[in-house]
Amino acid sequence: MAKKSVLGLYTEEDSAADALDNLRDAGFEEGEYELLTGTPYPEGTFGEAEPEHHLFRWPLIGAACGFTGGLIITAGTQMAYPLITGGKPILSIPPMAIIMYEGTMLGAIIFTIIGIIFESRLPRLFMGAYSEKITEGHIGVTVTTEEGRTGVAEEALKKAGAEGDIIRGWE
Amino acid sequence: MATNSAGVEYEAVSEPYVETENSVDNRKDVSDRLLKIHNVTSNRFWQFAALTGLMFALGIIGFILKVASGFDDKDVWGYYVAVFAFLMTTTAAAPMVAIAPRIANAHWRRPISRAAELWTVAGCLNLVLYIPLIWLLPSLENGRRSLWFYGQQASKDQFWTGFESVPAYSPHIWATLAIVSLVVLGLALVWLSCLPDFAVLRDQGTGWRQKWGRRLSLGWIGTTRQWNWQYHRMGIVSAFYFMMLIFVHFFISVEFLMVHVPGWIDSLYPITHAHNALQAGVATMMLTIFCLRQFGGYKDYIGLDQFWGLGKLLLALSLLWFWFWFSSFNLFWYAKKPSELSLLELLISGPYKIMFIAEFLLVFIIPWFSMIWNPVRRSVWGPAVIAVSVLLGTLLDRIRLYVASWDAASRDFVSMLEMEMHEVPEKIVTPAIADIFLIVGFIGGSIFIFMLASRLIPVMNIWEQKEFLLYKAEAQYHRAKVLVLGKPR
């Protein structure tokens, strides 16, 4: 079934927080509603759940791959052509550290860029219900749900004191 | 403790702690005022852009002349490499002024962080300048001392028997990867920082700026999740930029400088080079914010707070300059190895003595003796003048070191491992007309690119300014009014 989104705009933080409470009371799940702001409010300002992300995994995986690559290049080269330099062991960390560091960095950077693009879900092709007032300073609460439930959502948004008409859009 | 309908516990507050200025009207006012300044391009801007554009054109002529002269005579390329190193020391390091205070949650950086990040766009010019250096840098076959174990392998009968040693072009490969990574990270950083502001341009802008904002905002709508990602993305990319910046300076100072002077062995110098970049990066930003304040229309946003913050950093970094220089100098001076005395003759007491003294005054003595005085540090003009001094000194430093080093690179020494006193060049390499074009042109070109970028991207971070409303309040403290600043997260 096609999903539709509705958006209520608020001028006060408390009203937006009330709207979230009303939506939860009306049976809407986390993930069905979202807050839209033009400013990064501290997490939990509106009583919303803290969003989860897995961005930290990408640089860690990339760094592990890059480090392994750097280790294989440096250790492999030195084992292939063993040369004792300055009485140090064949596999000495200081000369290997440069390539291993750069390998680690390159792996981490490449994976992070991929991770940012993937995790951010950008570009967002369908913006759903949206208002330019968000970037002006209004706080938006948007609900994306089945078409039959949009009435309930609109009711919950209005009850919290949404300013003006509820904005509708397709997701 | 109270519980909301989602079952999440939170600390209930019966009364707000302080009244902040965060309201719809104020948030809109911030956007409107900053967009108004961004949308206006004054005649003075175009006049200065025309001047720097002309300088850039001269730089391109110098670039063509230099490339056309070929890569065989290394000594004539000294000024070219010096310009490249100078730009990597200034424009590539300026974003650190946004990165470090943001990690420390320092509010004073908010009006200047975007301008610092915008210098990464000029980093593209550094990449263009770097391309001929790949051909210029000799392979490891010339027998110079290097980081790489070239030509020393004893066995070629095991596996990878196709190679006799590490590739002779190892420095070229790894330095290129590092510099490309730095430029890509810089562009990623500025784009990530701008995402919410591109959405503002999309929604509030007009004409081509609105189209530009629509394309680059990629559907940014400001969900809690997007803001959360924004915080983490910028943190990770910023940290990588810092790490890569230090690494790139390590490579530049080793591969394009030290290895060409036989006997220059100094494990401290690469980090000295990186430190110089942090000092010059702060000076670059000091001058940038001075221009934005005086000529860019941002007088209400860039105040003494920003100059104080940067001034303290510049004072500390100027003192560190002496520490780094003296640590290396002292070792050579006491050790008195013949090759080290030759090195001191080349870089300090010989043909480049006057240049060294001037640099010493400009980079250390003048900032030190002027920035210790409160009236100078707590002013707008004082730090800006000192920033000019530091930048001039840094340019002299890069010319002194790189021109001398590439002069040495063009000579045949008895031993490629140490330089004897009689082998030290006696005269400074005189700059050709192409060198003067390059110095003037690419410094002007970087400013030109920054200025053009500032027309496309708001030079002041709109979303960080709006965020500041959440954390700023004026409160009565006994009989005085004080500014209370909160810390996010």
Side-chain angles (χ1 to χ4, degrees), chain A residues 10-13 20-22 24-25 30-31 33-44 46-56 59 63 70 72-83 85 95-99 101-106 108-109 112-113 116-127 129-139 142, chain B residues 4-8 22-25 27-29 31-32 147-149 152-166 173-179 181 184-185 188 191-192 195-196 199-200 202-204 210 217-229 231-233 236-237 239-241 243-244 246-247 250-251 463-464 466-468 470-471 488-489:
Chain A
Y10 304 88
T11 55
E12 299 296 325
E13 287 80 0
L20 293 192
D21 286 343
N22 292 345
R24 287 186 204 106
D25 292 342
E30 289 278 350
Y33 52 85
E34 278 183 311
L35 266 158
L36 310 183
T37 59
T39 311
Y41 279 88
E43 281 160 12
F46 304 94
E48 79 280 19
E50 190 178 325
E52 286 185 11
H53 71 89
H54 305 291
L55 193 58
F56 59 88
I72 289 170
I73 288 174
T74 50
T77 309
Q78 292 179 91
M79 285 168 69
Y81 304 103
L83 169 74
T85 307
M96 293 164 69
I98 300 165
I99 299 300
Y101 177 82
E102 183 158 0
T104 307
M105 287 292 295
L106 286 176
I109 289 165
T112 301
I113 300 288
I116 283 171
I117 293 166
F118 182 78
E119 289 268 340
S120 303
R121 309 289 194 271
L122 292 172
R124 191 177 170 125
L125 298 175
F126 302 102
M127 289 169 67
Y130 180 72
S131 168
E132 290 165 359
K133 285 188 172 181
I134 302 293
T135 48
E136 281 185 357
H138 281 69
I139 300 161
T142 177
Chain B
N4 70 10
S5 60
V8 178
N22 179 40
S23 66
V24 173
D25 291 337
R27 291 194 292 265
K28 185 174 181 330
D29 187 48
S31 292
D32 289 348
L147 283 172
W148 313 91
F149 294 113
Q152 298 173 16
Q153 281 70 14
S155 168
K156 50 181 178 178
D157 299 325
Q158 294 182 13
F159 62 97
W160 295 3
T161 51
F163 298 95
E164 289 193 3
S165 67
V166 297
I173 298 165
W174 295 102
T176 305
L177 280 174
I179 290 170
S181 299
V184 170
L185 276 172
W191 175 68
L192 287 173
L195 264 176
V200 174
R202 176 195 65 203
D203 294 347
Q204 318 296 332
Q210 190 173 35
S217 63
L218 299 183
W220 174 277
I221 53 173
T223 63
T224 309
R225 189 175 290 267
Q226 283 180 336
W227 283 116
N228 186 271
W229 284 332
Y231 173 73
H232 291 287
R233 284 183 303 215
I236 291 173
V237 173
F240 281 149
Y241 188 87
M243 291 162 80
M244 201 41 105
I246 303 297
F247 194 59
F250 169 83
F251 258 118
W463 67 267
E464 281 200 330
K466 284 199 275 189
E467 188 190 24
F468 193 34
L470 300 174
Y471 300 109
R489 298 182 178 85

Side-chain angles (χ1 to χ4, degrees), chain B residues 241-305:
Chain B
Y241 188 87
F242 174 53
M243 291 162 80
M244 201 41 105
L245 179 74
I246 303 297
F247 194 59
V248 163
H249 278 278
F250 169 83
F251 258 118
I252 293 173
S253 60
V254 173
E255 302 295 355
F256 293 93
L257 183 62
M258 294 172 71
V259 295
H260 303 295
V261 182
W264 189 353
I265 303 169
D266 182 1
S267 58
L268 191 63
Y269 189 73
I271 199 67
T272 304
H273 204 278
H275 156 270
N276 296 168
L278 297 180
Q279 186 193 20
V282 170
T284 305
M285 272 314 296
M286 217 169 231
L287 206 54
T288 307
I289 65 171
F290 174 80
C291 293
L292 287 174
R293 183 190 147 90
Q294 298 300 112
F295 314 114
Y298 292 102
K299 212 165 198 163
D300 294 340
Y301 296 89
I302 298 171
L304 282 180
D305 261 1

